[in-house]
Amino acid sequence: MYLTKEQERMLSGEYGEVLERNFRLLVRLGEIYGADRMIPVGSVQVAGVSYKSIGDPGLEFLEDLADKGARVRVPTTLNPPGMDLEDWRELGFPRDFAEKQLRIIDAFRRMGVAMTATCTPYLVGNLPRFGEHLAWSESSAVSFANSVIGARTNREGGPSALAAALCGVTPNYGLHLDENRRPSVVIKVDAELRRESDFGALGYHVGKTIEKGVPYFYGIKDADVDQLKALGAAMAASGAIALYHVEGLTPEATLVTTGGLGTIEVGERELREAHEGLNTGREPDIAILGCPHASLAEIAELAGKLEGRRLRKPLWICTARATKRAAAEMGLVDKIERAGGKVVADTCAVVAPIERMGFKCTAVNSGKAANYLPGFCKQAVVFKSVDEILEMVT
Amino acid sequence: MKGRAISPGRASGEALVSREPLSFYGGVDPKTGMVTERGHELEGKCVKDKILVFPRGKGSTVGSYVIYGLKKNGVAPAAIVNKETETIVATGVILAGIPCVDGIDIDKIKTGDRLTVDGDNAVVELG
């Protein structure tokens, strides 16, 4: 791989052990995947933040880096930790867990990472432009950045994203290159996508069916940002899908062709089967919305639906702290709390230790959450639309 | 045997060989270096100071941090030799500073063989 003089010096240890090891990691990954050179990145989204996911080995690794003075060189935003960083006591998060989680957060803070604590960095200030090269982890954010914005990032792991943040570059391979952004399969949708959960069900079905590659969707007539976020998140959870195109909706759809590709048809029956396959529970102990993190529009919609109703079961809507602040100023948080619900900041159903908090069955409207909750959180899942979930818990 | 250099450094020791892929997260205890994966052919063995030989890594990407933890806790293998190092193991050995070479025909190596791994020159020597 071609390296600049400056990069050679980094690799030889002239800038210290931290940069040497982290840059070596990027060089080796680049060699494994056949990169020709390094490219600068505009921003980094770093995952591997929840103590539940990375445990003591991850905690020690991050504290070591921070102790050695590691600092990020490019704007770097943070994935969700395993709890609400302010209201964790009130929400019932275990104290031993919280102490470790706060140490992880402190290590990231010392490295100069922005404390966004969200899987939707593009909603709270880390918004890339079309064609910009990034090193993002968090599969749903990767899918959104590549597909909805047309920025370019591979599906990074936590350490490789952090290495890119410390070195300011990433190896040039995979989705940074035009030829790998072309579609590999056509998905013909012949079904009404009415509810937000329909986009999750569609994403879950397609990810599970094709497993990898770049799907090109025909037949999705319209979708807002929140629906595309749900579609991509579910697809990235049930398959390793980091990029998709939708005719008429996503920016690269007109730049690629689909001639000669195999076609998979998805109709009402497939969507119904996906819904059924994700429903493993009946009576939820809690409903958790906001996977990926809810936008202000989604919080406003929920607040409206809760007006004049009283919840019988706990309901969380997870979002970024910045979004929660805006929602609070609009009076939306009060409205949700008056009905008995909570706006939970920072964390989410997937990375929080909900299995340790007495919950056995969780209702969600997210294809991604429905896919992960049985394995990561030992939950039975009720997967339905927001309206259906509210019928069950009010 | 000549392979591909994954992580630099030189080490000698006794080979501990697995014919199956190895998951570090949930499969190896970072405090003791014991392999804990149920039913794995190395279950109950300790990787400390061994030349750990296996085809490739598998499982969660948190495995990279476990490899780092093994080194920090003084129970890491002296070196790692793979048929093909994937990103989980590559990330772990580079960040931990454990010599590692891949592209090696590991069928020629048996547990107990004496091995020298030269991660600078991508060479693994038997005997």
Side-chain angles (χ1 to χ4, degrees), chain A residues 76-131:
Chain A
T76 302
T77 44
L78 195 67
N79 227 37
M83 63 185 194
D84 186 309
L85 296 172
E86 286 180 10
D87 297 340
W88 57 269
R89 286 180 196 83
E90 183 197 335
L91 289 161
F93 283 87
R95 171 168 288 279
D96 58 329
F97 182 92
E99 281 166 3
K100 300 277 179 87
Q101 183 64 71
L102 291 171
R103 280 169 60 190
I104 292 172
I105 293 298
D106 184 57
F108 280 118
R109 184 182 288 119
R110 285 190 279 151
M111 286 189 261
V113 176
M115 295 290 113
T116 46
T118 181
C119 52
T120 58
Y122 46 88
L123 293 181
V124 297
N126 183 356
L127 181 63
R129 67 158 167 80
F130 181 83

Side-chain angles (χ1 to χ4, degrees), chain A residues 264-341:
Chain A
I264 294 171
E265 307 214 354
V266 182
E268 302 281 357
R269 189 170 63 100
E270 282 77 14
L271 284 193
R272 203 168 49 243
E273 283 170 5
H275 265 108
E276 283 162 10
L278 287 169
N279 272 288
T280 53
R282 283 167 177 274
E283 271 298 308
D285 304 319
I286 183 171
I288 306 184
L289 310 174
C291 169
H293 272 170
S295 66
L296 201 48
E298 288 173 309
I299 295 174
E301 193 184 341
L302 180 71
K305 287 178 199 268
L306 281 174
E307 210 144 19
R309 293 167 95 165
R310 185 72 212 161
L311 288 157
R312 291 183 294 113
K313 304 240 170 104
L315 177 142
W316 295 359
I317 181 159
C318 298
T319 190
R321 186 161 298 282
T323 310
K324 181 179 176 179
R325 289 215 176 97
E329 280 174 21
M330 293 167 71
L332 301 171
V333 173
D334 275 348
K335 274 190 189 165
I336 292 169
E337 287 180 351
R338 266 202 299 277

Side-chain angles (χ1 to χ4, degrees), chain B residues 10-31:
Chain B
R10 212 181 139 86
S12 297
E14 198 182 297
L16 177 64
V17 182
S18 168
R19 302 294 163 204
E20 310 170 42
L22 187 60
S23 169
F24 282 87
Y25 184 63
V28 182
D29 183 340
K31 296 215 162 58

Side-chain angles (χ1 to χ4, degrees), chain A residues 21-22 24-25 28-29 31-33 47-48 52-54 56-58 60-62 64 68 158-160, chain B residues 4-8 25 30-31 62 64-66 68-69 72-73 85-87 90-91 94-97:
Chain A
R21 289 235 173 118
N22 280 280
R24 186 178 305 285
L25 171 61
R28 286 296 180 267
L29 293 178
E31 283 171 355
I32 290 171
Y33 293 111
K52 178 173 152 175
S53 326
I54 67 172
D56 289 322
E60 285 167 20
F61 170 78
L62 293 166
D64 262 12
K68 286 177 184 154
S160 65
Chain B
R4 180 170 65 159
I6 298 292
S7 176
Y25 184 63
K31 296 215 162 58
V62 180
S64 307
Y65 290 138
V66 173
Y68 186 85
K72 201 162 172 267
N73 295 327
T85 305
E86 41 50 70
T87 56
T91 301
I94 292 164
L95 293 176

